[in-house]
Each structure stands twice: as structure tokens, then as C-alpha cells.
Amino acid sequence: MLAKRFLLLFSLALLAALVLTGCGARAGAGETAAAAADAPLVLDLPNLTIDYDADGAPSLGGAPLSSFGSLLPASLTSQLTFDKGTMDMLAAANIQHVQITTAPDGLIILVNGEPIPSVRWDADKLANLADLVETLGPDAPAALKSVLPVITNLGAGIALRFPVGQGAEMIPMQVAGDASAAAASQAAQQAFMADVGAAPVIRIPVLYDAEGGYTVQGITDAEWQALTGAPFGSLRLQPDQIASAAAAGITGATVRTDAEGIHVALNGKELPVLGWGEGELSHALKLAAGAGLLDQSGMDAAAIGPVVDALLPVIQSSNVEINVTFPSE
């Protein structure tokens, strides 16, 4: 028994040593330790960096991930291995690296050194999310229940680095300054606000009935669809969805957007925000265009960029709020 425990400890120590050889700088490193200085449990680690070859095989610290054998679960190695088609797609889109990291105020996802829309929180929003998870009971993931109470004390991340295509310039792991999407987005929003003077405001109250139909200021979904030609009927819900909301005690929901991002509240309690206040949405759409994901929009490829540049300041600067009321039991 003692020998088995020693072997396990030795294996863990070996894995830790191998992992540390594959570490790199992490966005927000040091913030978690500073924010949770007095907490009994604190992790503030460098990025775990995994490199890929052109065929999608991953390596850590120069060693193929498959060579770690029993030190890593086979399912994890499989999930971190990509096929050749995926690698070719990443190269064609010039996606050189992806980072996922936790910080005291959120979960940050960076692609090519800049953030895409990511989840942001504070203590109140995390407490509200914990209450919601508790309400869901067995339907909530067990891992989420375990990690929520300590998530602000866990600073860790993973970086996936892909081969750089021939002729492409190397992109730094973190892009900042005037060349960043954040700087361009903020400049575009400031220019838009200078033109219009005040942020556009839209507020819509939606009242659902027990059958899943809804009204807005007394006008039914069918009447809205007939008036506008827009597919407002698709926003109807099923009666069992209404019943599930009532059973969970959810009587109202609010979705609103502002310069910070997309906010969701249930029964007046705000949940973590999907943030776009630092150029995340602009960067994500440009990545999607580069990967050909917007080709099905029906627009000419050359026209997508200018349209995105024109619309994004309007979307991100507008204060849009949809208040939904559900029937109670």
C-alpha cells in the first residue's frame, strides 16, 4: 500500500514537472493572488501551453502528449488532438493561438492575442448564479456547483498554439495598444456618440401567457408578425417551457445590452455578463469572416468588413432592454 502511494505521489510530481516545462505567460497573471491574498485556497499559475503540429498532434514542453501515457487520461489526450482538416482551416484563417484563462472578474478567451466575447462577473453576479444553480438542483452540472464558491480564487489558463502559415506574420500572445481591436472599437464608438449626441434607447415589455403566446403592449405575436412581416411567431414558447419557468419560481427575465455587453437577469437578479466592451465583438466577427463563417450571409465577401465596421458602434452603444414576464403558478 505504501509503495502504491509513493508511486502515485511520484507520478503527480512528474506530471507537475512536465506541466511546468510547458508553461507560458498568462493574461491577468498575478491578479488572482493579489485579489485573494487572505484566502485559504489560492491558485495563480502560468498558462499551460500546448503546441500542435500540422497534423493536429499536441505536445507539451516538447514531448508529445501521447507519450505521457497513464499520467494523462486518454479521453483528455483525445479531446486535445485535432484532425488535419481542422488544422488546415485554422491555417487558412490565420488563427495562430487560442487562450482560455480565469481572472477574479471573469473567464477570458483570447484568439490571436485579443479577447472575443467572454463571461464577466462580480461577487453579486456570482452569488446570483449560485442561487440559480441551487434552484436547478440535480439538473445543474455537479462540477459547476463545486467550482463556483472558489472560482475567484483560481487563476489558471491554457494556451493552444498552432503552426503559422507560410508567409504569415507572427502574432504576439497578447496584442495591446493602438493596433488592438479594443482601441479601434472604442474610437469608433466615440465617433458614433459624437455624431448622435446620445445613446439610442429601446425598451420592450413582453408578457407571456400559460400557453406560450405573448403580447407587447396588448398586441399579440400574430398581430406583430402581420404588421411587420418579421417572424415574431418564432418567439412563442411551448406550454411546458412556461410551466418549467413557473415551477422554478422564475416570474421575469430581462435581457439588455449596453457598451459593456449583454446582461441577463432573472427575477431582477443579474447574472454574469457576456462582455464586449473592449473590442471583443469586433475581433470575433473579423475572425469569423476570415474563417469563412460569414459566407452564408448572402453578402459579398468584400462588403462584410465595411458593414460590420458601420453597424458595430451602433449595436454596442445602444441601450436595448427586453423585459419578459412569465405567468406564475
Side-chain angles (χ1 to χ4, degrees), residues 1-28:
M1 180 65 70
L2 184 60
K4 288 183 179 179
R5 290 184 179 178
F6 177 78
L7 181 60
L8 175 60
L9 291 173
F10 178 77
S11 298
L12 291 174
L14 179 60
L15 177 59
L18 288 170
V19 165
L20 289 174
T21 64
C23 282
R26 178 174 65 84

Side-chain angles (χ1 to χ4, degrees), residues 140-153:
L144 185 59
K145 291 182 179 181
S146 301
V147 77
L148 272 179
V150 296
I151 195 168
T152 57
N153 299 347

Side-chain angles (χ1 to χ4, degrees), residues 121 125-134 141-154 272:
W121 55 60
K125 292 181 177 64
L126 281 178
N128 293 338
L129 179 58
D131 289 344
L132 175 62
V133 169
E134 192 65 32
L144 185 59
K145 291 182 179 181
S146 301
V147 77
L148 272 179
V150 296
I151 195 168
T152 57
N153 299 347
L154 305 179

Side-chain angles (χ1 to χ4, degrees), residues 14-204:
L14 179 60
L15 177 59
L18 288 170
V19 165
L20 289 174
T21 64
C23 282
R26 178 174 65 84
E31 294 178 6
T32 299
D38 298 327
L41 172 66
V42 179
L43 290 179
D44 200 324
L45 305 173
N47 260 339
L48 174 64
T49 303
I50 297 178
D51 291 294
Y52 287 83
D53 64 17
D55 295 320
S59 62
L60 180 63
L65 216 58
S66 58
S67 68
F68 291 166
S70 60
L71 292 176
L72 289 176
S75 59
L76 177 61
T77 303
S78 175
Q79 290 171 3
L80 290 172
T81 301
F82 301 139
D83 58 37
K84 184 67 165 58
T86 299
M87 299 307 297
D88 290 343
M89 182 273 291
L90 291 170
N94 194 31
I95 294 177
Q96 299 183 12
H97 36 77
V98 175
Q99 299 180 66
I100 303 173
T101 180
T102 58
D105 63 348
L107 177 70
I108 305 166
I109 303 173
L110 298 94
V111 181
N112 283 359
E114 299 190 69
I116 61 174
S118 306
V119 181
R120 297 289 186 170
W121 55 60
D122 57 27
D124 290 338
K125 292 181 177 64
L126 281 178
N128 293 338
L129 179 58
D131 289 344
L132 175 62
V133 169
E134 192 65 32
T135 300
L136 294 175
D139 293 331
L144 185 59
K145 291 182 179 181
S146 301
V147 77
L148 272 179
V150 296
I151 195 168
T152 57
N153 299 347
L154 305 179
I158 184 170
L160 310 181
R161 296 193 300 200
F162 308 111
V164 178
Q166 187 173 6
E169 293 186 7
M170 292 281 292
I171 299 172
M173 294 296 287
Q174 293 186 51
V175 177
D178 295 340
S180 68
S185 177
Q186 289 165 6
Q189 288 185 59
Q190 289 170 1
F192 171 73
M193 291 300 296
D195 288 338
V196 301
V201 176
I202 299 173
R203 187 178 300 115
I204 302 173

